[in-house]
Amino acid sequence: MLMNKLQLMRLSRISLALGLAMTGAGAYAQSTTGSIFGQAPVAEGESVQVKSTSGVTREVAVGADGRYTVGSLPLGTYTVSLVQGGKVVDTRNDITLRVGSGTEVSFAAASGADATSLSSVTVSANAMPAIDVSSVDARTVITSQQLAKLPLARSAEAIALLAPGVVPGYSGFTGTTTGGSLVSFSGSSVTENAYYLNGFNTTDPLSGFGGISLPYGAIDQQEILSGGYGAAYGRSDGGVISQSGKRGTNEWHFGAQVQWTPAFASGVSPGSYYVSGANAGNLYRRYSDNKSWQTTESAYVGGPLIKDKLFFFAAVEGQKQSGDSVGAVTSSYDTKYEYHNPKWYSKIDWNINDNNILELTGASTKTSYKGNLYNYDYATNSTSDLNSFDTSTKNSASVYVAKFTSYITDDITLTALYGKQKMTYYSETPGYDPTLTYISGSEFENPAITGGSPIVNSQTVLTAADPSHHATSDNLRLDLSWKLGDHTITAGIDNQNSHDMDDGETGSAWIYGYGDAATAISDSPYVAAPNTGAGGENGYYVSKYLYSTSASVRVKQRAQYIEDSWQVDDRWLVKIGLRNDQFTNYNPDGDAFLRMTKPQWAPRLGFSWDVNGDSTLKVYGNAGRYYLAMPASVALRAAAGSLYTNEYYTYTGIDANGNPTGLTQLASSTGGAVSANNEYGQAPDAKTVAASGIQSEYQDEYLLGFTQQINKDYVWGMKAQVRKLRNILDDICDTNTIAAKAQSLGYDVDATALNGCYLSNPGRSNTYRIPNSSGGYYNVTVSADEFGMPSAKRNYYGLETFLEHPFDGTWQAKIDYVYSKSYGNTEGQVRSDIGQTDVSATVDWDFGKLMENSNGLLSNDRKHQLKIYGSWQAAPEWMLSANIALLSGTPKTCLGYYGADESNPVGYGSYYHYCGGVASAPGDAGRQPWQHIVSLSAEYRPMWAGQKLGFNVMVYNALNESVATATYVRYGSSTAVNTNYDRVTYWSTPRYVRFGINYDF
């Protein structure tokens, strides 16, 4: 009998690769389904029947070779039965599927006495092969069972941080609709990720900052893909966060949970101090008086509306956070604030018949904020009277999705998905006083006038958004999978449309500045030195800042793909795919200003080698190209006629509201306000916004790794990953060079009549259309050398190794280490070191001189990443868990004035890769400190309550370590060092404790 079992196990594992390759299920990174496959004895009229707890029933014939596959199954728990002669002769119970993967269920000879003797052999999750030899990508799946145990923050990004190569993004970047922190995958910027909910793309269509996620208790599984996904999906060269929500079953279940994070158990970050310039050593911001507390209430219910036919699941979550936040000495207010963040999720599953399934999903997330600003005295650490009201915001996003699956035959499956996402963005400032101008840079006010105490007013609004701002996006997917012998051919379309309405901001401010008194504030556009005006003899000046963007725009994205999953033999699986993307961005007039519709071929090739033929050792690899679309917000600065000007003065006094008096206007190239990017509010011709033949950002990626089962308890592996950015899309603003090239070609071109900036492929030759007097266009080609720019570069190298003990009913743990390097001269769509959120319109590439010495370590580089997480059923009533992350710090940057003479040739100020007149590449200024985050949790489920009632506590960052994650990077000049340089701008989250009570029935 033992020999029969061993032979069966080996036979079934050999069939693993074959079975998985025979189905379209499990082939896609953002799949919401799984598959069941395996081996059975060959007998006439033999079939395998699967039935889920949510009523899905399918029956397929066993092939002449003894293999069977049931693909595209909704996630859930299944009973798998072997049927011979119309009778069930063997059954396997409690088979749980994992998203995007196959689950092996094999049967021995099942007739006569053998059927009786072998029917007791049960396949469970612990007995199944620990290695999935069908996958060729880098993915991590976290289940609801794990989420209930592990000490995590309640967000999709916090879950994603469990995966190798995923690190926290810049602390100042947050999700557009969620307000939560964002993550970087393997060196890419935080806007280059894709988010999915039940197969629908929820990625923020405005700028790519995050996406909608489910109520925490409604997450069935979260799939984190950090590389190598198939041709069915695209529009990401970072990573993928895909959530599958729970669904109803044939049994009614309900539950509720209350969580409380009190202020008394929370730590605080250290104070932030000036470390350079005239204020060195002085306190900038005190955090010890900050406090916050949070409550979360959630509930769920699910079950059959019609048994085996119609099912329902719904979940709600309400989160409230209140607290106090003390501002910096330059804005010394104590803000008492409240956040309200409700979410809901619902799902209906209709098993129309055994061959057709309809799924309907609805989800919503909202975040609202309001706050009151009270006067705060830094000398006495005391809060006094109400000063003003903070800007209140109300953002929301809702998703509605329909998915239809038809099992046309055992070999052909059709899926169709259509969904729509609606977003609203509203803000207002109660008591807003338009007569008060926002004061910025008060630390640079002339101390001879202020006496060393900055003078400001109660205006807290720098920019105001249009309160009617809203957006929509829709996604249509059609996928057809056809099994042909050893091949499974899958093809489909992936279409998406986004509309951004009434987007934009307006703002004005007085911005105080300080520099070398005898040096021009800007060389191009020219602004005279401070000492040419009264009061500027010591280098102090002020500028009147005006900013305005306003637009309603749309984006159209289309894609087609085909992929072949080919089982070459019983050990080799090859996946060959090809995807073609088309992207079109439209300006407010409905004219296309970015049309990237020529074929953008993205080949994908992967393999998996089951070395021993028993799923104990897998070698796999992957190579692919990935294109990234431009979100809607690109139009605001590039194609919609933005205003961005500064008018410079010296001053001899400052009034009680912080406004400069005794103004003397400084000479400038325009005689008044200047714009370094020629943004004076004029709308450009759509045909001239982008270079002719412009190409999308795209990246090539290569994976090679192995996974080995050491014994029945442990699995280990290694993976090498290489990413190379092949093309970047950003704006170039060096219109003088474009005009000079046009004139060298004999064209009569006025440089002042050109657009402020042009969307381009930096580091390559670009051809620009320039209007001529006859109503046509000149075509002017400018090379990267002529612009004085290097080739665009972003390279990532990572080497991962891990050791895992799968859950055996008592404990589970995984330790994962990644050594990596991310370097080049461009982070991607955004720029973390200066906190710039203008997608594909960053400071990078505007002028060649800004790119000198730019090749270095990029902002998301983390040389070392060690992650350990796991859980232990210490006793029947007690579960203990831990999550540890040890991360080396990110590189630091020092940006100063240009060259050894510290000049300002392009008018950007302290944004050149020089520090005190010395060349300074990113990373040359050092690194931020390591982060050591140790989080612990414990749960008690008493037997006297049938273990339906749970009491839990989580301690995030038990060491209460709060270290700098970002510092101010603008150095200024040697003669006028910026007093903010190297000051800490963000700290890592200190300790907090979360208590919870939950009941599940």
Side-chain angles (χ1 to χ4, degrees):
M1 178 65 72
L2 178 61
M3 181 59 68
N4 287 339
K5 289 182 180 179
L6 292 175
Q7 290 174 341
L8 171 62
M9 181 176 294
R10 179 174 176 81
L11 179 62
S12 65
R13 287 180 173 177
I14 289 175
S15 71
L16 177 62
L18 279 169
L20 281 172
M22 294 298 183
T23 176
Y28 317 133
Q30 290 76 51
S31 173
T32 60
T33 62
S35 65
I36 295 174
F37 68 96
Q39 189 84 15
V42 179
E44 185 177 351
E46 186 179 48
S47 64
V48 170
Q49 182 187 77
V50 300
K51 185 173 183 178
S52 76
T53 54
S54 58
V56 174
T57 301
R58 289 193 65 202
E59 189 167 343
V60 298
V62 177
D65 55 0
R67 294 191 295 268
Y68 77 93
T69 300
V70 190
S72 297
L73 292 171
L75 298 181
T77 301
Y78 285 79
T79 297
V80 184
S81 300
L82 179 65
V83 180
Q84 291 181 353
K87 296 182 179 180
V88 174
V89 296
D90 205 353
T91 299
R92 305 290 187 262
N93 297 313
D94 299 322
I95 305 300
T96 301
L97 302 191
R98 180 162 288 204
V99 64
S101 301
T103 301
E104 181 193 6
V105 181
S106 292
F107 299 89
S111 60
D114 286 340
T116 302
S117 62
L118 290 178
S119 61
S120 61
V121 178
T122 301
V123 176
S124 66
N126 297 330
M128 291 185 292
I131 299 173
D132 178 8
V133 296
S134 72
S135 63
V136 299
D137 50 37
R139 76 173 68 185
T140 301
V141 176
I142 305 297
T143 66
S144 58
Q145 291 81 8
Q146 291 174 290
L147 294 179
K149 300 171 185 175
L150 294 174
L152 296 169
R154 295 168 65 92
S155 72
E157 289 80 9
I159 301 170
L161 287 173
L162 295 174
V166 184
V167 298
Y170 168 63
S171 301
F173 291 156
T174 57
T176 303
T177 54
T178 64
S181 301
L182 301 174
V183 294
S184 166
F185 282 74
S186 304
S188 298
S189 74
V190 299
T191 62
E192 298 172 26
N193 304 325
Y195 288 71
Y196 289 83
L197 192 162
N198 282 356
F200 174 78
N201 190 330
T202 70
T203 310
D204 165 37
L206 305 187
S207 55
F209 282 89
I212 298 177
S213 59
L214 292 168
Y216 201 74
I219 302 171
D220 184 14
Q221 299 183 25
Q222 177 166 315
E223 187 178 28
I224 308 117
L225 198 83
S226 52
Y229 57 83
Y233 291 87
R235 301 174 192 142
S236 164
D237 59 11
V240 172
I241 296 176
S242 179
Q243 292 187 339
S244 297
K246 293 180 178 178
R247 64 181 66 216
T249 67
N250 271 324
E251 293 184 359
W252 282 99
H253 293 275
F254 64 85
Q257 184 180 59
V258 177
Q259 293 188 328
W260 176 46
T261 305
F264 72 81
S266 298
V268 295
S269 298
S272 178
Y273 289 82
Y274 293 105
V275 296
S276 60
N279 293 323
N282 294 339
L283 179 65
Y284 173 78
R285 185 171 183 180
R286 177 182 293 125
Y287 291 92
S288 58
D289 287 343
N290 290 3
K291 58 181 180 293
S292 69
W293 51 98
Q294 180 175 288
T295 57
T296 303
E297 300 169 343
S298 60
Y300 70 88
V301 61
L305 299 177
I306 302 175
K307 191 173 182 181
D308 288 335
K309 200 75 172 177
L310 190 63
F311 303 86
F312 171 76
F313 184 89
V316 294
E317 178 180 287
Q319 184 186 89
K320 178 183 177 181
Q321 182 180 1
S322 302
D324 288 68
S325 178
V326 176
V329 294
T330 56
S331 181
S332 53
Y333 304 113
D334 180 357
T335 303
K336 298 182 181 297
Y337 63 86
E338 282 188 2
Y339 285 95
H340 292 268
N341 305 316
K343 292 182 177 182
W344 63 262
Y345 164 78
S346 64
K347 192 168 191 293
I348 292 176
D349 294 273
W350 180 20
N351 301 330
I352 302 171
N353 53 43
D354 288 349
N355 296 321
N356 298 283
I357 299 172
L358 179 64
E359 304 171 52
L360 302 176
T361 298
S364 171
T365 181
K366 297 180 180 180
T367 179
S368 63
Y369 166 86
K370 64 178 181 179
N372 298 329
L373 278 67
Y374 294 83
N375 294 316
Y376 179 84
D377 189 331
Y378 258 83
T380 61
N381 299 6
S382 60
T383 300
S384 56
D385 299 334
L386 176 69
N387 180 284
S388 57
F389 301 99
D390 204 356
T391 299
S392 299
T393 60
K394 295 179 181 179
N395 296 337
S396 68
S398 56
V399 170
Y400 302 93
V401 185
K403 180 184 178 183
F404 175 71
T405 302
S406 179
Y407 307 109
I408 300 172
T409 70
D410 288 348
D411 296 327
I412 302 176
T413 301
L414 172 69
T415 60
L417 179 147
Y418 178 78
K420 192 160 189 175
Q421 181 174 211
K422 299 180 179 180
M423 289 144 289
T424 61
Y425 313 88
Y426 178 78
S427 65
E428 65 171 350
T429 305
Y432 170 69
D433 185 352
T435 66
L436 294 177
T437 302
Y438 187 88
I439 304 301
S440 179
S442 59
E443 62 267 43
F444 299 116
E445 293 173 347
N446 190 339
I449 298 173
T450 66
S453 298
I455 303 174
V456 295
N457 59 50
S458 60
Q459 181 60 271
T460 60
V461 179
L462 172 59
T463 59
D466 189 331
S468 60
H469 182 202
H470 63 289
T472 64
S473 65
D474 60 70
N475 189 195
L476 170 66
R477 288 196 59 96
L478 295 174
D479 304 278
L480 182 67
S481 179
W482 192 357
K483 184 174 67 174
L484 294 169
D486 292 335
H487 299 265
T488 297
I489 309 297
T490 308
I493 63 171
D494 177 9
N495 295 343
Q496 191 164 344
N497 300 293
S498 303
H499 293 77
D500 182 19
M501 281 77 77
D502 300 318
D503 196 354
E505 293 182 327
T506 58
S508 64
W510 286 111
I511 303 177
Y512 286 91
Y514 170 65
D516 183 66
T519 300
I521 294 173
S522 173
D523 296 330
S524 177
Y526 174 73
V527 178
N531 66 5
T532 60
E537 296 82 5
N538 293 320
Y540 291 94
Y541 60 90
V542 69
S543 69
K544 181 67 174 181
Y545 162 84
L546 296 176
Y547 178 78
S548 178
T549 58
S550 179
S552 293
V553 297
R554 64 187 178 97
V555 180
K556 182 171 70 174
Q557 300 171 9
R558 300 289 182 265
Q560 308 81 40
Y561 79 93
I562 186 169
E563 185 172 75
D564 178 16
S565 184
W566 175 26
Q567 191 69 48
V568 180
D569 58 28
D570 62 350
R571 299 191 183 191
W572 281 90
L573 169 67
V574 176
K575 294 189 178 182
I576 306 170
L578 185 65
R579 181 182 176 92
N580 180 28
D581 281 290
Q582 304 97 46
F583 310 135
T584 308
N585 293 58
Y586 297 88
N587 72 4
D589 295 325
D591 299 323
F593 68 91
L594 272 178
R595 192 185 297 276
M596 295 173 286
T597 55
K598 292 182 179 180
Q600 298 185 123
W601 300 116
R604 314 280 169 84
L605 175 63
F607 76 90
S608 175
W609 176 27
D610 183 4
V611 178
N612 299 322
D614 59 1
S615 302
T616 58
L617 174 60
K618 177 183 79 168
V619 177
Y620 65 99
N622 193 294
R625 174 163 291 180
Y626 303 87
Y627 282 88
L628 188 65
M630 291 296 102
S633 65
V634 174
L636 297 182
R637 294 286 298 275
S642 56
L643 175 71
Y644 191 173
T645 63
N646 285 275
E647 192 166 5
Y648 291 85
Y649 302 88
T650 56
Y651 57 95
T652 58
I654 299 176
D655 68 18
N657 287 320
N659 300 310
T661 61
L663 296 174
T664 300
Q665 184 172 329
L666 295 174
S668 70
S669 57
T670 65
V674 297
S675 174
N677 298 144
N678 203 26
E679 293 180 73
Y680 293 100
Q682 72 280 13
D685 179 348
K687 294 181 180 179
T688 68
V689 169
S692 301
I694 193 170
Q695 297 182 46
S696 302
E697 177 178 324
Y698 68 89
Q699 178 175 266
D700 290 340
E701 180 183 63
Y702 310 93
L703 299 175
L704 182 63
F706 74 88
T707 307
Q708 182 178 24
Q709 185 170 359
I710 301 173
N711 53 42
K712 66 181 182 63
D713 295 321
Y714 291 94
V715 177
W716 83 294
M718 298 185 73
K719 177 182 91 262
Q721 182 176 19
V722 176
R723 287 182 165 185
K724 289 185 176 292
L725 191 67
R726 301 299 189 184
N727 191 58
I728 190 76
L729 196 158
D730 210 305
D731 59 350
I732 292 177
C733 307
D734 189 357
T735 53
N736 288 334
T737 296
I738 297 174
K741 181 62 181 291
Q743 290 166 0
S744 72
L745 297 172
Y747 302 147
D748 183 15
V749 172
D750 180 3
T752 61
L754 300 182
N755 298 348
C757 301
Y758 292 86
L759 290 175
S760 309
N761 292 136
R764 298 186 175 193
S765 292
N766 289 271
T767 299
Y768 303 100
R769 299 184 189 93
I770 300 175
N772 58 35
S773 57
S774 61
Y777 300 90
Y778 297 126
N779 289 311
V780 179
T781 300
V782 185
S783 69
D785 287 341
E786 289 169 322
F787 277 126
M789 292 183 181
S791 297
K793 181 168 68 173
R794 185 182 75 191
N795 293 340
Y796 173 86
Y797 300 94
L799 181 62
E800 176 209 1
T801 183
F802 75 91
L803 176 66
E804 181 174 14
H805 180 282
F807 190 67
D808 60 2
T810 302
W811 70 285
Q812 176 271 332
K814 184 176 183 179
I815 179 171
D816 192 289
Y817 170 74
V818 175
Y819 175 85
S820 65
K821 182 177 182 180
S822 179
Y823 67 95
N825 52 30
T826 180
E827 180 183 344
Q829 289 188 330
V830 294
R831 186 165 165 184
S832 296
D833 60 354
I834 59 174
Q836 189 172 15
T837 59
D838 298 307
V839 175
S840 292
T842 65
V843 169
D844 287 345
W845 308 108
D846 286 2
F847 295 89
K849 287 182 169 54
L850 294 170
M851 298 305 295
E852 289 186 21
N853 310 309
S854 60
N855 185 38
L857 296 174
L858 296 174
S859 293
N860 295 308
D861 177 70
R862 300 269 190 171
K863 188 174 183 179
H864 304 284
Q865 306 163 40
L866 178 63
K867 301 177 182 181
I868 307 170
Y869 63 88
S871 56
W872 173 38
Q873 192 74 51
E877 296 179 326
W878 285 94
M879 172 66 71
L880 306 179
S881 302
N883 181 24
I884 301 171
L886 309 180
L887 308 173
S888 59
T890 55
K892 297 173 71 172
T893 301
C894 180
L895 301 175
Y897 284 87
Y898 180 77
D901 60 352
E902 299 183 80
S903 60
N904 188 15
V906 301
Y908 275 39
S910 183
Y911 279 102
Y912 305 90
H913 290 282
Y914 288 86
C915 190
V918 178
S920 180
D924 285 355
R927 281 187 179 270
Q928 305 295 352
W930 276 68
Q931 291 179 247
H932 310 87
I933 306 170
V934 178
S935 301
L936 306 171
S937 65
E939 183 177 54
Y940 171 59
R941 285 187 172 268
M943 291 294 187
W944 54 261
Q947 293 194 307
K948 295 180 175 63
L949 180 66
F951 303 90
N952 54 75
V953 60
M954 184 200 81
V955 183
Y956 175 85
N957 190 5
L959 302 178
N960 196 26
E961 177 188 83
S962 185
V963 300
T965 61
T967 49
Y968 195 87
V969 301
R970 296 177 61 191
Y971 177 82
S973 67
S974 299
T975 55
V977 176
N978 190 325
T979 190
N980 285 304
Y981 174 67
D982 210 26
R983 171 179 56 78
V984 176
T985 55
Y986 288 99
W987 299 90
S988 61
T989 304
R991 182 197 63 238
Y992 65 83
V993 181
R994 189 175 71 206
F995 300 94
I997 302 175
N998 50 282
Y999 184 82
D1000 301 280
F1001 181 80

